[in-house]
Amino acid sequence: MNINITMTELYSEKQICRQKAFCVFLGLIISGVKHMDFYAPDGEFIGNASNMSLFLLPPGFTIDFAFDEQRINYVTLGWIDGLRWDIKNRTLAFSDCNQSIKLPVSVPLTPVQTKYLTDIFNRTSKLIKSATAANKKAAEFLMMSVLAEFITYSEGESRECVPEKLEA
């Protein structure tokens, strides 16, 4: 798998927007979302996201969202080889090593997962901004762990195994 990150940013301002993804959008919504809807390139509604969730959109998709003043969310922009829209099955798919895995456009999270992923997105943001080749690669490896959340969710991994709180 090859992932190329161009930026990861934290957003906290109130905003209403409709935009087309010009690259892969990989995001974490912590709070403040009023609505976030996703549309395939043909304009068909394909899903939405809520507070405490991840979302993943390939280039060409449209995202329509509104955040209030409680907004906290991260978005990583870049490219992921093998991520595509399976138009026949109307789902995202990731293809790697002669294997294709269906992926959801969003994944609901527990509070513990949200905290854990917030730390990953925050660290990724800092690594990308340092602008060294080694830190950029480290950030890309961290984002691969975020993509694993989409795969395990699509495979039906039980959320019951997630502890209610993190150990110190």
Side-chain angles (χ1 to χ4, degrees), residues 1 3 14 17 20 44 47 49 70-71 73 84 86 92 104 111 116 123-124 128 131 133 159 162 167:
M1 173 204 278
I3 182 170
K14 184 176 177 178
C17 186
K20 187 177 252 186
E44 183 177 332
Q70 303 299 314
R71 179 185 192 178
N73 83 291
R84 63 182 176 78
D86 180 345
L92 292 181
Y116 171 74
R123 187 165 179 218
T124 299
I128 286 293
R159 295 292 183 227
V162 177
E167 299 286 329

Side-chain angles (χ1 to χ4, degrees), residues 3-11 13 19 22-27 71 73-79 120-131 136 139-140 143:
I3 182 170
N4 183 359
I5 296 174
T6 56
M7 67 171 267
T8 297
E9 288 294 329
L10 171 64
Y11 296 93
E13 70 279 355
Q19 67 185 99
F22 56 89
C23 62
V24 172
F25 286 18
L26 174 57
R71 179 185 192 178
N73 83 291
Y74 285 89
V75 179
T76 295
L77 303 180
W79 304 96
I120 288 177
F121 274 87
N122 186 42
R123 187 165 179 218
T124 299
S125 178
K126 290 175 182 174
L127 288 166
I128 286 293
K129 289 174 183 168
S130 76
K136 183 176 189 303
E140 290 166 352
M143 282 296 106

Side-chain angles (χ1 to χ4, degrees), residues 91-124:
T91 187
L92 292 181
F94 176 72
S95 300
D96 190 38
C97 299
N98 299 320
Q99 178 181 6
S100 184
I101 302 167
K102 292 180 182 179
L103 300 175
V105 294
S106 66
V107 174
L109 302 170
T110 66
V112 170
Q113 288 173 305
T114 301
K115 168 70 172 107
Y116 171 74
L117 291 164
T118 298
D119 292 343
I120 288 177
F121 274 87
N122 186 42
R123 187 165 179 218
T124 299

